[in-house]
Amino acid sequence: MQDRVDGEGAAPLYLRVRDQLAARIEKGLLTPNTRLPSERILAEEHNTTRVTARLALAQLEAEGRIYRSNRRGWFVSPPRLIYKPTHDYSFSENVTAQGRVPATETLDVTPTQAGTWLAARTGLTVGDPIVWLRRRRQIDDRPVLVENIYLNPKRLPGIETYNFDRSLWKLLREQYGVELRGKQIEMYPTALVDPQASAIGVTAGTAGLYVTRCSRDADGCFVEFDEEFWLHDALSIQVDVS
């Protein structure tokens, strides 16, 4: 079986397989979270090789149209969550407002000290106390990100005792009267590696988006530094420009 169809300028066969699968997704014949046929079955359906089928699936994954779940196979990606970094809302509020179901799971809460890396990003002094929070967050029962949050216990005394399976922003407002004002946000593509990859249930090397946010209160006091490791197909970033 050749991997290129005949004719001048013809696309590689794996792209033609990709186009047929993408068309079925766009027409709603393959709905979100539907499991796709195996590579073997796809190869048989399209009269090609498993290598070609695998390339077509990899292309769709790179485009964010499908995702791979460890030991479960390939699935159609659900709609991306719209994320507006200049707006103030919690993850749960944003997900719910878009008709989806959020969930948060606390993985670990560890009182520790700021190291050189964190101090450089927050203005803390090396050795300052910090509370390190790890959480996994889901949309419609699918894990989409894991986050490391570093909280300032001097500004938030006793913060490590609270339940973090809820909105952190609401907790800061209700228990500490903190309104986050100054924020510095950075984001760029990355490859998810362990422990983040395994926490989300994907293979190390899966494409992801890395987002950091350093937040301060109205007086400029450091409150939290948030590292977010997102699946690349889960998020659509929008910025309103006036």
Side-chain angles (χ1 to χ4, degrees):
M1 176 66 63
Q2 295 182 345
D3 277 349
R4 183 175 289 274
V5 297
D6 295 332
E8 183 179 356
L13 186 54
Y14 82 90
L15 288 181
R16 300 194 70 183
V17 175
R18 172 262 171 219
D19 290 346
Q20 293 182 40
L21 289 171
R24 293 172 65 187
I25 293 173
E26 291 172 359
K27 292 177 181 177
L29 300 177
L30 293 172
T31 56
N33 297 310
T34 296
R35 185 174 180 176
L36 295 176
S38 67
E39 293 174 3
R40 179 184 61 80
I41 293 176
L42 283 175
E44 292 174 355
E45 289 179 349
H46 295 276
N47 193 27
T48 185
T49 64
R50 291 182 65 173
V51 172
T52 298
R54 189 176 304 127
L55 287 172
L57 292 169
Q59 177 66 30
L60 289 167
E61 181 188 31
E63 296 169 9
R65 294 178 180 269
I66 65 174
Y67 66 93
R68 177 170 37 188
S69 180
N70 281 351
R71 296 180 294 278
R72 295 180 59 227
W74 295 91
F75 297 82
V76 178
S77 294
R80 294 175 183 266
L81 179 74
I82 297 173
Y83 171 60
K84 297 183 178 182
T86 57
H87 288 210
D88 286 330
Y89 44 58
S90 70
F91 170 86
S92 298
E93 290 172 340
N94 190 28
V95 173
T96 301
Q98 295 180 46
R100 315 283 290 279
V101 180
T104 301
E105 179 185 2
T106 300
L107 302 177
D108 190 31
V109 181
T110 304
T112 184
Q113 296 178 338
T116 303
W117 177 86
L118 186 61
R121 286 158 177 78
T122 61
L124 294 172
T125 300
V126 174
D128 277 351
I130 205 77
V131 174
W132 176 25
L133 166 65
R134 292 186 67 238
R135 299 195 298 186
R136 174 168 48 222
R137 315 201 81 166
Q138 302 180 31
I139 300 176
D140 299 333
D141 294 324
R142 181 195 177 200
V144 295
L145 80 138
V146 63
E147 59 184 348
N148 295 321
I149 302 176
Y150 303 91
L151 298 162
N152 182 0
K154 290 183 178 179
R155 180 63 181 84
L156 310 167
I159 187 67
E160 69 277 5
T161 64
Y162 286 97
N163 173 20
F164 293 106
D165 291 350
R166 54 171 293 192
S167 169
L168 178 60
W169 286 15
K170 285 186 177 180
L171 173 64
L172 296 182
R173 286 196 301 266
E174 294 171 1
Q175 298 298 326
Y176 295 95
V178 171
E179 290 290 345
L180 300 179
R181 299 296 185 186
K183 299 190 187 75
Q184 183 178 19
I185 300 172
E186 180 181 18
M187 58 185 69
Y188 53 82
T190 189
L192 299 174
V193 298
D194 287 332
Q196 286 78 29
S198 58
I200 303 177
V202 297
T203 304
T206 296
L209 181 69
Y210 178 66
V211 180
T212 67
R213 181 176 55 250
C214 186
S215 301
R216 302 179 184 278
D217 64 14
D219 296 324
C221 179
F222 166 69
V223 177
E224 61 137 359
F225 184 85
D226 187 8
E227 282 188 295
E228 299 177 352
F229 299 85
W230 285 83
L231 291 175
H232 83 293
D233 67 327
L235 205 60
S236 173
I237 300 169
Q238 298 184 7
V239 178
D240 298 325
V241 180
S242 59

